[in-house]
C-alpha cells in the first residue's frame, strides 16, 4: 500500500496519531502537499461522509475521523501555504440567533472541511447580521445557517432579508439545515439550498461553488 | 375507568374506555395555556383537558443551597441538582437553557474517576414530597423520571469528548456510566418506596436519534446502554411500574434493542424517517405502547386547528385503533413549545375526546 493510501485508511479509522505521523513522513519523502491533502486526507473524509449518509457509520466515527483529518492538516497546512494551495471555497457557518444546538452544525463544519472548504465557524446564537459581516470580511462564497427549534427558524429569513437590504443577496449562496427545516421552508424564506444531512451539504456546497466559479 | 387504570391498561395492551392522555409543555407553553384558559396553575390546565397523568421528574432538592449567580456577561447562572450549570436564554418566543459547565470533563483516567465526588447524592432529595404527590393524585397515573444515562452524559460531559471517548476509551466511559447509574438507581429506589409502589411508569429520556438515523450505531447502543436500560426496566417492573423510553429522532434501528431490554413503551414518535405510525404499529405494536406522535415540528406550530384535529385523529387511528388493545397515550411529538397556538393544543385533545 502506498503512503497516501495508508493515510486515507488510517483517517477513515479515526487514528489521529498515525495520520499525523504519516503526513509528516510523506512530506519528508517530498510527496506533493496537494496530493497528500486531496488524495490522502480529503478524499478519505468524503468516504466517511458518504458512509455517514448511508448510515454505515455514525457521529462518533465521523468525529474521530475529523480529528484525524485535523491532526494531518496541522502538519500539512504550513506546506500548503508555501505552495499556494487555494481552498475549494470559503463558508461562514453558525446556529441561528436564540438557538444553542450545535451537533448538526459541527458535523457540517467537519464535512465542509473534508470537502476542502475554509470554514469560519461563528458558533451558536448568531445574530443574522453577523453572518453577513463575517462573510463580507473574509470574502466567503457560502453562508450556512442551522436551527433545531421551530421558534428560531424565522431567523434564517431575517438574515436573507438583511442580505437583500444590503444589496448582497446574489453575492452569497445561502444554505440552510436543521431538524425542522425542509425544502418548502427553504423556498418560503428564499434560501438557495436545503440539505438534509451534513454529507449532502458538503457535496452540494462543493458543486455549486465550482459551478458558480465556472460561470464566472 | 380512572385515569390510573386507563394509563396502566394502555401500557399493558388491555382495553381502554377512551384515548388516554398526557401533557408536556415548555414553561412558555404552560404560560400561554394558562392565559388562554384563564386559569392560574398547570394543574388547572391539565384538569381542563382531563389529562390522565401527573408527572414528578426529580423530587425537590433539599441539599446544600446552590444559589444562582451573575456571570461576567450579566447572565444568571443556575446549577442543576445533577451538577451542571446553565443559563436561560430568551429567543424572542421562549426560554431555552444553555449548559455552560460540564463537571464530568475532569474525568480523564480511572484515577480521576475514583477521586471524583460530584455524583448525584440520593440524600439531597425530599422523598416525602413523592409520598404527598401520590396522595394528591390518587386516581391519576403517576410518572417519574428524568434524563437517562446517555442524556445525562450529554448534560454533564462535553458531548464531543463523550462521543470520541466511547470510541477511544470505552472502558472508562462504561465505568463512568456505571457510577452515574448506581446513584440514579438509588434515587429511583427511594422514590418507588416513598410512593408505596404507586408509581405507574417511569420515563427515561435519552435523545438517541437525528431526523434521519441514530447518533451512534445499534451495536454501540448495545455496548454502552443495553445493560443500564435493562437495570432500570427491571427496577421499574419490580415496583409494579412500566418503563417508557423517550428518545427524539429516528430510532427505528434500535427499537428491537429496546424491546430486548424489556422496555414497555416509547415516545415521542417524531415525524422522522422510519417512525411512520402505521409501520410502527405493524412492526412493534405487540411489544410496545406508543406515546405522542402529533408533530411539533410542523403541524402543531404552523397548522390550523382543523389540520391538528385531522392529524391527531389519523395518529390515534393508527396507534390506538379501537382501544381494545390499548397501546397508545396521546400527546405531542415533543413538549409543546412556545410557538404552538393554544387553539392547536385544544384541537389535539378535542380530537382525542371525540375519537370513537
Amino acid at each position: 500500500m502506498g503512503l497516501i493510501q495508508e493515510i486515507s485508511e488510517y483517517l477513515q479509522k479515526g487514528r489521529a496519531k498515525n495520520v499525523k505521523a504519516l503526513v509528516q513522513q510523506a512530506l519528508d519523502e517530498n510527496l506533493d502537499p496537494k496530493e497528500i491533502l486531496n488524495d490522502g486526507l480529503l478524499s478519505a473524509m468524503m468516504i466517511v461522509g458518504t458512509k455517514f449518509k448511508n448510515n454505515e457509520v455514525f457521529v462518533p466515527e465521523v468525529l474521530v475521523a475529523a480529528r484525524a483529518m485535523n491532526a494531518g492538516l496541522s502538519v500539512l497546512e504550513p506546506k500548503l501555504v508555501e505552495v499556494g494551495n487555494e481552498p475549494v471555497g470559503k463558508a461562514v457557518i453558525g446556529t441561528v440567533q436564540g438557538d444553542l444546538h450545535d451537533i448538526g452544525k459541527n458535523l457540517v463544519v467537519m464535512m465542509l472541511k473534508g470537502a476542502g472548504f475554509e470554514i469560519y465557524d461563528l458558533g451558536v446564537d448568531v445574530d443574522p447580521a453577523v453572518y453577513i459581516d463575517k462573510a463580507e470580511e473574509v470574502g466567503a462564497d457560502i453562508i450556512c445557517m442551522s436551527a433545531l427549534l421551530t421558534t428560531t427558524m424565522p431567523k434564517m429569513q431575517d438574515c436573507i432579508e438583511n442580505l437583500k437590504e444590503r444589496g448582497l443577496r446574489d453575492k452569497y449562496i445561502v444554505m440552510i439545515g436543521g431538524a425542522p427545516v425542509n425544502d418548502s421552508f427553504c423556498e418560503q424564506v428564499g434560501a438557495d439550498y436545503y440539505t438534509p444531512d451534513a454529507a449532502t451539504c458538503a457535496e452540494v456546497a462543493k458543486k455549486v461553488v465550482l459551478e458558480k466559479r465556472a460561470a464566472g | 375507568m380512572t385515569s390510573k387504570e386507563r394509563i396502566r391498561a394502555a401500557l399493558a395492551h388491555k382495553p381502554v374506555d377512551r384515548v388516554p392522555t398526557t401533557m408536556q409543555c415548555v414553561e412558555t407553553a404552560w404560560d400561554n395555556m394558562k392565559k388562554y384558559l384563564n386559569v392560574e396553575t398547570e394543574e388547572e390546565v391539565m384538569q381542563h383537558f382531563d389529562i390522565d397523568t401527573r408527572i414528578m421528574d426529580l423530587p425537590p432538592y433539599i441539599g446544600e443551597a446552590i444559589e444562582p449567580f451573575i456571570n461576567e456577561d450579566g447572565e444568571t447562572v443556575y446549577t442543576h441538582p445533577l451538577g451542571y450549570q446553565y443559563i436561560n436564554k430568551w429567543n424572542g418566543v421562549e426560554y431555552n437553557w444553555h449548559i455552560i459547565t460540564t463537571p464530568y470533563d475532569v474525568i480523564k483516567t480511572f484515577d480521576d474517576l475514583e477521586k471524583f465526588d460530584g455524583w448525584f447524592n440520593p440524600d439531597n432529595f425530599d422523598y416525602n414530597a413523592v409520598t404527598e404527590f401520590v396522595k394528591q393524585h390518587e386516581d391519576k397515573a403517576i410518572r417519574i423520571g428524568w434524563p437517562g444515562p446517555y442524556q445525562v452524559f450529554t448534560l454533564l460531559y462535553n458531548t464531543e469528548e463523550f462521543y470520541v471517548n466511547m470510541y477511544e476509551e470505552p472502558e472508562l466511559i462504561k465505568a463512568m456510566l456505571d457510577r452515574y447509574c448506581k446513584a440514579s438507581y438509588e434515587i429511583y429506589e427511594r422514590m418507588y418506596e416513598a410512593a408505596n409502589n404507586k408509581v405507574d411508569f417511569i420515563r427515561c429520556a435519552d435523545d438517541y436519534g437525528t431526523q434521519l438515523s441514530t447518533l451512534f450505531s445499534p451495536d454501540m447502543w448495545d455496548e454502552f446502554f443495553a445493560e443500564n436500560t435493562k437495570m432500570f426496566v427491571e427496577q421499574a417492573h419490580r415496583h409494579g411500574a412500566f418503563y417508557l423510553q423517550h428518545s427524539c429522532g429516528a430510532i427505528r434501528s434500535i427499537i428491537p434493542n429496546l424491546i430486548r431490554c424489556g422496555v414497555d413503551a416509547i415516545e415521542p414518535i417524531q415525524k422522522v424517517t422510519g417512525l411512520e405510525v402505521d409501520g410502527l404499529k405493524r412492526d412493534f405494536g405487540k411489544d410496545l405502547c406508543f406515546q405522542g406522535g402529533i408533530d411539533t415540528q410542523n403541524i402543531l406550530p404552523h397548522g390550523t386547528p382543523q389540520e391538528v384535529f385531522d392529524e391527531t385523529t389519523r395518529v390515534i387511528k393508527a396507534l390506538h385503533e379501537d382501544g381494545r388493545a390499548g397501546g397508545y397515550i396521546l400527546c405531542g411529538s415533543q413538549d409543546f413549545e412556545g410557538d404552538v397556538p393554544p387553539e392547536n393544543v385544544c384541537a389535539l385533545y378535542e380530537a382525542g375526546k371525540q375519537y370513537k
Side-chain angles (χ1 to χ4, degrees):
Chain A
M1 191 171 8
L3 200 46
I4 298 284
Q5 182 61 24
E6 232 178 308
I7 291 171
S8 170
E9 300 276 333
Y10 276 119
L11 190 149
Q12 290 174 54
K13 288 181 195 149
R15 305 272 285 273
K17 278 183 196 156
N18 300 76
V19 170
K20 196 172 176 178
L22 288 170
V23 169
Q24 187 58 55
Q25 190 187 331
L27 288 172
D28 294 344
E29 291 179 17
N30 287 323
L31 268 73
D32 178 3
K34 286 186 189 176
E35 193 191 342
I36 303 172
L37 175 73
N38 292 321
D39 301 340
L41 301 178
L42 301 188
S43 68
M45 197 62 205
M46 290 303 268
I47 292 170
V48 174
T50 305
K51 285 186 176 171
F52 179 63
K53 192 164 84 174
N54 296 335
N55 295 331
E56 291 168 48
V57 299
F58 298 82
V59 175
E61 290 85 353
V62 173
L63 285 173
V64 290
R67 285 194 173 192
M69 174 180 71
N70 288 334
L73 280 175
S74 70
V75 180
L76 191 59
E77 256 160 5
K79 287 283 170 198
L80 288 171
V81 173
E82 271 176 37
V83 298
N85 184 64
E86 287 292 320
V88 166
K90 294 180 185 177
V92 167
I93 182 167
T95 303
V96 298
Q97 195 169 43
D99 204 323
L100 308 156
H101 297 86
D102 63 2
I103 295 180
K105 185 265 296 171
N106 291 346
L107 288 170
V108 172
V109 168
M110 290 167 212
M111 294 296 175
L112 283 172
K113 269 194 190 172
F117 278 87
E118 195 168 299
I119 302 300
Y120 296 87
D121 183 357
L122 302 171
V124 299
D125 193 19
V126 180
D127 185 296
V130 170
Y131 289 97
I132 304 170
D133 294 342
K134 191 72 188 175
E136 285 286 284
E137 179 195 324
V138 301
D141 303 282
I142 305 182
I143 293 174
C144 296
M145 290 183 275
S146 171
L148 181 86
L149 302 168
T150 52
T151 50
T152 57
M153 289 159 75
K155 292 290 174 190
M156 294 177 170
Q157 187 160 15
D158 292 354
C159 179
I160 292 165
E161 293 306 320
N162 200 330
L163 274 172
K164 285 182 192 162
E165 282 160 22
R166 290 163 71 169
L168 298 170
R169 178 62 191 90
D170 294 337
K171 191 171 170 187
Y172 297 106
I173 297 159
V174 177
M175 299 186 69
I176 59 174
V181 180
N182 55 28
D183 276 321
S184 70
F185 180 76
C186 177
E187 199 176 323
Q188 185 194 321
V189 300
D192 295 307
Y193 298 95
Y194 155 73
T195 49
D197 64 87
T200 308
C201 175
E203 282 167 25
V204 171
K206 190 170 178 178
K207 181 169 167 278
V208 297
V209 164
L210 294 177
E211 278 171 6
K212 196 172 175 183
R213 207 151 288 162
Chain B
M1 279 182 134
T2 64
S3 285
K4 198 175 188 69
E5 289 164 347
R6 187 173 299 118
I7 293 285
R8 292 192 72 90
L11 288 160
H13 303 271
K14 290 181 179 159
V16 290
D17 57 344
R18 65 163 172 80
V19 180
T21 55
T22 188
M23 187 169 190
Q24 305 167 145
C25 299
V26 303
E27 209 176 319
T28 317
W30 278 121
D31 289 344
N32 293 345
M33 289 314 301
K34 284 188 254 182
K35 211 165 163 190
Y36 182 76
L37 297 172
N38 196 21
V39 297
E40 299 289 321
T41 63
E42 292 171 14
E43 175 61 29
E44 288 170 291
V45 174
M46 287 189 279
Q47 283 172 6
H48 176 86
F49 293 118
D50 202 5
I51 298 298
D52 289 316
T53 58
R54 293 297 182 271
I55 299 167
M56 176 183 266
D57 45 11
L58 262 178
Y61 178 81
I62 51 166
E64 198 180 322
I66 323 172
E67 298 298 335
F69 64 92
I70 309 287
N71 69 8
E72 55 200 26
D73 296 325
E75 297 158 325
T76 307
V77 179
Y78 302 90
T79 305
H80 190 274
L82 277 168
Y84 60 87
Q85 292 181 319
Y86 65 101
I87 51 174
N88 275 324
K89 281 227 172 194
W90 177 253
N91 70 12
V93 182
E94 64 190 9
Y95 280 102
N96 289 114
W97 42 277
H98 184 196
I99 292 173
I100 53 170
T101 57
T102 41
Y104 288 5
D105 292 358
V106 297
I107 306 172
K108 299 191 188 304
T109 64
F110 277 91
D111 269 357
D112 298 337
L113 177 64
E114 286 314 310
K115 284 180 206 143
F116 187 72
D117 63 355
W119 307 105
F120 239 0
N121 181 353
D123 295 337
N124 282 345
F125 299 94
D126 175 14
Y127 300 95
N128 292 328
V130 181
T131 313
E132 279 308 305
F133 187 80
V134 171
K135 262 191 212 156
Q136 260 171 34
H137 303 291
E138 239 177 0
D139 294 338
K140 302 295 177 196
I142 304 295
R143 191 189 96 187
I144 62 167
W146 56 86
Y150 166 69
Q151 199 69 31
V152 162
F153 269 56
T154 66
L155 304 173
L156 291 169
Y157 193 23
N158 177 296
T159 309
E160 193 172 317
E161 289 301 317
F162 181 35
Y163 286 136
V164 169
N165 285 334
M166 284 168 85
Y167 214 82
E168 293 184 343
E169 299 284 351
E171 296 312 316
L172 179 64
I173 294 293
K174 281 180 214 168
M176 288 170 71
L177 282 164
D178 282 350
R179 289 294 292 269
Y180 166 75
C181 287
K182 259 185 206 156
S184 189
Y185 189 89
E186 177 59 25
I187 296 173
Y188 284 138
E189 197 63 27
R190 295 191 197 181
M191 287 184 85
Y192 286 122
E193 281 165 15
N196 202 15
N197 287 339
K198 283 182 177 161
V199 170
D200 297 294
F201 61 138
I202 177 172
R203 169 190 181 260
C204 292
D206 299 279
D207 290 336
Y208 296 125
T210 71
Q211 292 291 106
L212 303 167
S213 179
T214 48
L215 285 154
F216 37 86
S217 69
D219 287 346
M220 214 175 218
W221 189 89
D222 271 343
E223 187 181 349
F224 292 94
F225 301 107
E227 283 310 311
N228 46 51
T229 300
K230 245 186 248 169
M231 181 173 96
F232 291 117
V233 167
E234 284 166 10
Q235 181 185 35
H237 290 174
R238 187 160 47 76
H239 289 285
F242 295 87
Y243 181 103
L244 166 69
Q245 179 68 56
H246 167 100
S247 172
C248 287
I251 56 158
R252 177 177 259 266
S253 65
I254 59 164
I255 290 178
N257 309 45
L258 294 170
I259 292 171
R260 278 199 295 276
C261 292
V263 167
D264 299 295
I266 60 169
E267 71 135 21
I269 323 295
Q270 286 187 297
K271 216 168 179 177
V272 292
T273 308
L275 292 195
E276 296 75 14
V277 286
D278 295 312
L280 267 190
K281 189 71 175 177
R282 179 194 65 220
D283 296 341
F284 306 113
K286 278 199 177 67
D287 297 304
L288 291 176
C289 171
F290 303 102
Q291 176 171 299
I294 318 303
D295 181 24
T296 51
Q297 286 183 340
N298 194 5
I299 289 178
L300 274 165
H302 305 134
T304 63
Q306 186 61 48
E307 285 167 338
V308 171
F309 186 95
D310 293 345
E311 172 67 0
T312 305
T313 306
R314 181 186 77 82
V315 171
I316 294 172
K317 203 172 166 194
L319 297 178
H320 172 87
E321 297 174 327
D322 61 7
R324 271 187 295 183
Y328 181 60
I329 300 166
L330 172 64
C331 66
S333 69
Q334 195 53 269
D335 291 9
F336 296 122
E337 299 279 335
D339 59 353
V340 176
E343 293 83 353
N344 285 359
V345 175
C346 294
L348 181 151
Y349 289 115
E350 188 57 31
K353 204 165 150 191
Q354 287 186 24
Y355 185 82
K356 296 283 176 229

